[in-house]
């Protein structure tokens, strides 16, 4: 399974979802969310496209092996200097997996939960990560409506997503809800 059904919630009402075949269903608000290629599409409007889906994101943003290595070094420093014991990590807006691939190299991460609004980017990320020794779980969701149970994560990370958020203050409040007591959310612009 490419996701953890025990922590997934309805993005509209935040109630538990039941898992049947290739679908997650909310008994509370009667919404259904498909699962395609093992990835739940937890978006209220599944027809929502992003401009990023139609461009070569890595080429447009000059992402190279050197930049991927730099990202790894930067995040290793953040984790070590702040004594972050990662455990269960939520990555908001994984894009094409630059940070995701780097995070799988950090020894303190037990499970990495990668999210993005683009199902296409999640498949690219899955390929970029390859057969990681760390379990990486994938969720298509809108970062403005994080569909997870309270107290599910030890650490939340995001790299270059702030400009995609409609209400940064609201997303931070959601992060507080999702984090276990006293843990970290780290955003890089």
């Amino acid at each position: 399974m490419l996701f953890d059904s025990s922590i997934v919630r309805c993005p509209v009402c935040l109630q538990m979802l039941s898992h049947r075949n290739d679908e997650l269903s909310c008994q509370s608000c009667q919404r259904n969310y498909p699962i395609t290629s093992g990835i739940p599409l937890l978006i209220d409007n599944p027809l929502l496209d992003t401009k990023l889906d139609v461009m070569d994101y890595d080429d447009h943003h000059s992402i190279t092996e050197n930049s991927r290595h730099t990202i790894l070094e930067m995040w290793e420093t953040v984790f070590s200097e702040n004594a972050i014991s990662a455990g269960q990590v939520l990555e908001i807006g994984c894009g094409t997996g630059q940070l995701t691939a780097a995070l799988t190299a950090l020894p303190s991460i037990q499970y990495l939960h990668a999210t993005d609004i683009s199902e296409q980017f999640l498949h690219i990320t899955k390929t970029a990560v390859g057969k990681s020794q760390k379990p990486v779980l994938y969720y298509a969701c809108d970062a403005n409506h994080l569909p997870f149970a309270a107290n599910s994560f030890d650490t939340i990370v995001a790299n270059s997503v702030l400009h995609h958020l409609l209400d940064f203050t609201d997303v931070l409040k959601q992060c507080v809800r999702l984090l276990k007591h006293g843990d970290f959310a780290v955003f890089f612009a």
Side-chain angles (χ1 to χ4, degrees), residues 90-101:
L90 172 65
E91 180 186 4
I92 298 173
C94 67
T96 58
Q98 180 172 333
L99 176 57
T100 314

Side-chain angles (χ1 to χ4, degrees), residues 151-189:
N151 305 310
S152 292
F153 303 104
D154 300 297
T155 306
I156 297 174
V157 298
N159 191 65
S160 191
V161 298
L162 297 178
H163 56 285
H164 295 289
L165 303 177
L166 299 175
D167 183 347
F168 182 68
T169 303
D170 183 58
V171 172
L172 284 180
K173 287 177 185 174
Q174 291 181 62
C175 288
V176 169
R177 177 181 64 81
L178 297 177
L179 285 168
K180 296 174 184 171
H181 180 69
D183 289 316
F184 290 88
V186 182
F187 288 77
F188 274 109

Side-chain angles (χ1 to χ4, degrees), residues 39-43 50 52-53 57 90-97 100 113-123 125 137-143 146 148 159-161 164:
I39 298 173
L41 306 180
L42 299 163
I43 299 171
T50 73
L52 300 174
D53 280 339
Y57 185 86
L90 172 65
E91 180 186 4
I92 298 173
C94 67
T96 58
T100 314
H113 302 263
T115 69
D116 202 275
I117 197 167
S118 168
E119 180 186 1
Q120 176 182 339
F121 279 7
L122 289 166
H123 289 289
T125 297
L137 308 172
Y138 301 91
Y139 311 85
C141 65
D142 183 345
L146 296 167
F148 299 101
N159 191 65
S160 191
V161 298
H164 295 289

Side-chain angles (χ1 to χ4, degrees), residues 35-54:
I35 301 167
T36 62
S37 301
I39 298 173
L41 306 180
L42 299 163
I43 299 171
D44 189 35
N45 180 358
L47 301 176
L48 186 65
D49 283 327
T50 73
K51 290 182 179 181
L52 300 174
D53 280 339
V54 297

